[in-house]
Amino acid sequence: QVQLVESGGGLVQAGGSLRLSCAASGRTFSRSVMGWFRQAPGKEREFVGALSCSGIIRNYADSVKGRFNISRDNAKNTVYLQMNSLKPEDTGVYYCAAQKPDVSWTTGRYDYWGQGTQVTVSS
């Protein structure tokens, strides 16, 4: 069982930056595709971005391309979400998620989820 714990959320003005972190338990982190999702009030959870096991392949939602960057440190069992040029519409609870180890990137299925961290962007 993998446990994920996010941190780094907070309140920031539009145009500012935040970096979220997600620490994972267990020994299989380096073999799992990692993703970030978010949920705004009254809306469904949506995909933000994902990162391959090696950290080479990235995929982002169109709404965050060019502003957000996902990275990982497999030695620290941690994945990061660097968010720049934040907009009020980026407000929401941000969730870290992990696929099972050795599952193909293409499945898009995430089996492990963190508890979420709140990001609020003021205008």
Side-chain angles (χ1 to χ4, degrees), residues 38-110:
R38 67 187 181 187
Q39 187 168 18
K43 295 187 177 180
E44 293 188 353
R45 186 165 57 192
E46 65 175 0
F47 172 79
V48 173
L51 183 62
S52 65
C53 301
S54 65
I56 295 175
I57 302 174
R58 294 175 172 84
N59 184 30
Y60 296 101
D62 288 343
S63 59
V64 306
K65 280 181 181 176
R67 300 188 299 121
F68 289 14
N69 182 61
I70 299 176
S71 62
R72 66 192 296 163
D73 185 337
N74 286 340
K76 295 182 177 180
N77 275 20
T78 302
V79 63
Y80 305 97
L81 180 65
Q82 177 67 44
M83 305 185 293
N84 300 323
S85 302
L86 282 161
K87 305 175 181 180
E89 50 264 43
D90 293 318
T91 293
V93 178
Y94 282 69
Y95 297 91
C96 171
Q99 291 189 3
K100 286 185 177 179
D102 306 319
V103 170
S104 172
W105 164 278
T106 59
T107 65
R109 174 176 170 171
Y110 293 84

Side-chain angles (χ1 to χ4, degrees), residues 6-14 16-21 36-41 48 67-68 81-95 115-122:
E6 302 97 334
S7 61
L11 173 64
V12 63
Q13 289 188 331
S17 298
L18 277 177
R19 188 175 85 153
L20 306 182
S21 299
W36 285 96
F37 294 75
R38 67 187 181 187
Q39 187 168 18
V48 173
R67 300 188 299 121
F68 289 14
L81 180 65
Q82 177 67 44
M83 305 185 293
N84 300 323
S85 302
L86 282 161
K87 305 175 181 180
E89 50 264 43
D90 293 318
T91 293
V93 178
Y94 282 69
Y95 297 91
Q115 83 289 347
T117 185
Q118 177 70 43
V119 172
T120 303
V121 184
S122 62

